[in-house]
Amino acid sequence: MKKIKILSLLFCVVMLVAACHDEEDTPVPVTVKTVLMYLVADNSISGDIYSNIASVEEGLAKAASPGTFVIYWDGGSRKSEFPDPTLFKYEVDGKGKVGKREIIKTYSGQNSVSNEVLNKVLKDVEVYCPAEKYSLILGSHATGWLPVDHKKSRSFGDDRGAKINIPDLSVALKQSGIHFDYILFDACLMSQVEVAYELRNAADYLILSPAEVMSAGFPYFKMTKHLLSVDNTEQNVINVAKDFIDYYKNEYDYSWATIAVIKTDEMPALTNITYSLMEQYQDNLVKFDNNRINYFQTHYGYGRSPLDHSTYDFRAFIRELTDDNIPSDFEEQLDRTVIYKDYVDDYKLVNIDPDIYSGIGCYIPDDRYSNWNDYFRTLQWYSAAGWNETGW
């Protein structure tokens, strides 16, 4: 009897060890799609950014595709709920059922806009929420292509004053090894040729605004179903942009919004045509003296003080460069690149010209901004578009 008891005990121990081993080796199920919303919110709009979480939760029940929605939160106004940067997720079955919020990982205090941290979080998402497709939403303050400057420009992000330059952001995304079907910037001034060219290899589509975005951000309660959908990515990203405009046109107190959807694999062709035009009309660059640039700021500038003179409508620039004779091949390629654009400007922040609006901005070098010019020369767009051949 004693021998039987010992054998039974040994059998139970072996089974327990085997069960634990099986549990550890059980792979995490691969979902069809994982969307990561990366919120850098330890700044002046923390409360507004936090509201987007509830908006997402409302929208998840409307999703018609199963998937995983992951949120990385680093914010200063919700210390009781999130004392540290936190990664959490919701599982969605695509039939109206949404799983409870599940904490994936918490991090010690960190700079969420450093290459290292961003790359680490992306790797964690890949490990804990593997999927056939990935999408990315980046939410925070931003100022587009501009260099990080603690006085007035952020490039992207604001984590207690820390920011990341767009080329560095591009490197972090590349190092993650993840290619996104789209990247949505819930941030100001991001639809610029300089930004799109830097990020052309990171995602198939970019959803961004050439001008300022209201602090309420994107209406996730309306558009999360499109964010999770896996069928026809191009139509889904266009639907997201349409929901954004509809919200600010019909539901928000202030009717102001600008939006564009950029198809990134068309950026090289647009850049090549721009290079040809810069070469052909190089002598016309003398037209962009201070008076003309000031005129452009008033009529086509997307940035307001202190970011005025940092970005202008790209089509307006090309029209001026080509003596009001924009070549048809440029127009056609611009339409293939910016596949959707719209705006609502009843509550004006800057002037939008309906006859020229392209949905994407560009910088025109200005001798009054030497620091900006120096940084502009480090961007890939500078050489690819032919600015390096002009003497700037």
Side-chain angles (χ1 to χ4, degrees), residues 258-295:
T258 59
I259 199 68
V261 177
I262 295 171
K263 190 174 183 181
T264 55
D265 65 4
E266 296 289 348
M267 275 302 300
L270 181 66
T271 306
N272 290 339
I273 293 176
T274 304
Y275 186 98
S276 297
L277 294 177
M278 291 285 286
E279 185 177 44
Q280 181 180 351
Y281 292 96
Q282 184 173 147
D283 291 343
N284 280 358
L285 289 174
V286 298
K287 296 195 301 183
F288 294 96
D289 59 16
N290 290 351
N291 288 333
R292 197 60 181 165
I293 289 180
N294 289 341
Y295 175 87

Side-chain angles (χ1 to χ4, degrees), residues 70 107 139 258 302:
V70 187
Y107 305 84
T258 59
Y302 288 127

Side-chain angles (χ1 to χ4, degrees), residues 34-39 69-74 82 84-90 101-107 110 120-129:
T34 290
V35 177
L36 169 62
M37 174 184 256
Y38 194 90
L39 301 178
F69 202 102
V70 187
I71 298 178
Y72 172 80
W73 170 263
D74 182 3
F82 299 109
D84 299 298
T86 305
L87 190 69
F88 54 94
K89 71 175 182 176
Y90 305 87
R101 179 189 296 178
E102 180 181 342
I103 302 295
I104 300 172
K105 192 172 183 178
T106 56
Y107 305 84
Q110 57 188 12
K120 177 173 62 177
V121 173
L122 289 171
K123 293 288 188 183
D124 285 340
V125 170
E126 194 173 26
V127 169
Y128 293 108
C129 306

Side-chain angles (χ1 to χ4, degrees), residues 350-369:
V350 295
N351 289 321
I352 301 294
D353 184 339
D355 295 325
I356 203 68
Y357 178 73
S358 67
I360 188 168
C362 69
Y363 179 57
I364 304 172
D366 188 327
D367 58 17
R368 293 168 291 185
Y369 299 93

Side-chain angles (χ1 to χ4, degrees), residues 206-219:
L206 303 174
I207 309 168
L208 2 70
S209 172
E212 290 179 66
V213 176
M214 289 288 185
S215 60
F218 281 67

